[in-house]
């Protein structure tokens, strides 16, 4: 970094002393891509004014930003990853190939069987990616053996330090999750939903009617597996999310059979809390592997975590 700045600044200072400045066609893109570095440099260019009596214009600041951004990229330490599956062969090799293609800052330390996890020095590992839950002090991500898009997003959240799913205030409660319910028709499902919410005093007696009114307005199916029926704000007394997985697919409209029902019952005051939840649904609506896995779940805690 020091050498590159010396090489860059000597001609830059000479040009600015004589009132010359280079155009920077990447100025807007640089400022947008590296806002924190740009602000840090901009806040310190007074040094050039004090030393050389020159002003460092924004386009020249952007060039300096590139040098510092490049240095930061060079200094990124790879994340040391231990990949594990039941046997340590076969599917784990597929996982490694996918990880190497998707991430350039992972160092695959080894590929082992979950039976051998206790043999590893945890201080030498930053992350474990495993197809089976294991006991370890190291951050562990449990994935499907085929490494679905849902799993890739979970890994990216850790590797890139960016949350894919927006922060949400929504919480799923056990009593509102119903697994493998044997319902035959759409009518049965809507009545089941309204009956359970009414028994908890979460909705008014008009809630079932409002569900049907919403159905009459347009489709509530968002994929080949999922329906998101919902009633009006006025008929909701207490906000909750109702989740129903069906023992058998049910015809929801003329074209779609569904196996998963997500009913967001919300008051008007809390409606904005559910925006991240719907954003998450939209982002993953076509991930059939994820939804099939959720539909097959037998544990309420696992389902709540998956959503």
């Amino acid at each position: 970094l020091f050498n590159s700045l010396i090489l860059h600044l000597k001609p830059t200072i000479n040009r600015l002393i004589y009132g010359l400045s280079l155009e920077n066609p990447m100025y807007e893109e640089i400022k947008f891509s590296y806002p924190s570095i740009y602000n840090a440099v901009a806040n310190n260019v007074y040094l050039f004014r004090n030393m050389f009596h020159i002003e460092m214009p924004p386009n020249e600041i952007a060039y300096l930003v590139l040098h510092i951004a490049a240095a930061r990229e060079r200094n990124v330490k790879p994340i040391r990853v231990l990949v594990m599956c039941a046997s340590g062969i076969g599917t784990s090799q597929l996982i490694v190939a996918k990880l190497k293609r998707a991430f350039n800052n992972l160092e695959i330390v080894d590929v082992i069987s979950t039976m051998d996890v206790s043999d590893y020095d945890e201080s030498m590992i930053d992350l474990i990616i495993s197809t089976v839950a294991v006991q370890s002090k190291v951050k562990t991500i449990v994935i499907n053996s085929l490494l679905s898009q849902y799993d890739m997003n979970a890994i990216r959240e850790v590797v890139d330090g960016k949350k894919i799913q927006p922060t949400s205030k929504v919480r799923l409660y056990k009593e509102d999750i119903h697994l493998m319910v044997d319902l035959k028709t759409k009518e049965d499902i809507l009545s089941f939903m309204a009956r359970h919410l009414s028994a908890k005093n979460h909705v008014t007696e008009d809630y079932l009617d409002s569900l049907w009114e919403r159905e009459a307005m347009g489709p509530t199916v968002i994929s080949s597996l999922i329906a998101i029926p919902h009633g009006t704000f006025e008929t909701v007394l207490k906000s909750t999310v109702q989740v129903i997985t069906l023992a058998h697919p049910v015809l929801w409209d003329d074209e779609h059979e569904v196996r998963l029902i997500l009913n967001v019952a919300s008051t008007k005051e809390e409606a904005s809390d559910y925006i991240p939840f719907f954003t998450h649904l939209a982002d993953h609506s076509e991930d059939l592997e994820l939804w099939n896995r959720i539909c097959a779940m037998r544990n309420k805690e696992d389902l709540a975590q998956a959503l």
Side-chain angles (χ1 to χ4, degrees), residues 139-259:
K139 172 69 177 178
T140 302
I141 302 176
V142 180
I143 60 169
N144 181 277
S145 58
L146 295 180
L147 199 57
S148 68
Q149 187 59 50
Y150 176 81
D151 295 322
M152 293 294 278
N153 286 341
I155 295 170
R156 188 165 285 109
E157 288 177 7
V158 174
V159 171
D160 295 343
K162 297 177 181 178
K163 186 70 174 171
I164 304 299
Q165 181 183 355
T167 302
S168 173
K169 299 178 184 178
V170 174
R171 295 291 179 269
L172 298 179
Y173 299 99
K174 280 186 180 181
E175 60 268 25
D176 293 320
I177 298 175
H178 310 275
L179 302 181
M180 294 295 162
V181 182
D182 188 14
L183 298 170
K184 306 297 184 185
T185 66
K186 178 178 179 176
E187 289 79 3
D188 292 341
I189 294 170
L190 295 183
S191 296
F192 177 91
M193 289 163 40
R195 184 168 64 253
H196 277 266
L197 292 178
S198 179
K200 297 169 56 182
N201 294 317
H202 280 196
V203 297
T204 69
E205 60 183 12
D206 298 322
Y207 186 70
L208 180 57
D209 291 337
S210 75
L211 286 173
W212 281 111
E213 288 170 6
R214 173 59 187 88
E215 290 298 313
M217 293 172 61
T220 55
V221 175
I222 62 170
S223 82
S224 58
L225 294 175
I226 310 166
I228 53 169
H230 48 281
T232 60
F233 295 137
E234 294 76 17
T235 59
V236 178
L237 302 174
K238 183 178 179 180
S239 299
T240 190
V241 177
Q242 201 174 31
V243 182
I244 302 170
T245 63
L246 300 171
H248 308 284
V250 169
L251 188 66
W252 196 260
D253 54 33
D254 294 335
E255 300 179 16
H256 302 98
E257 287 186 330
V258 299
R259 293 180 56 202

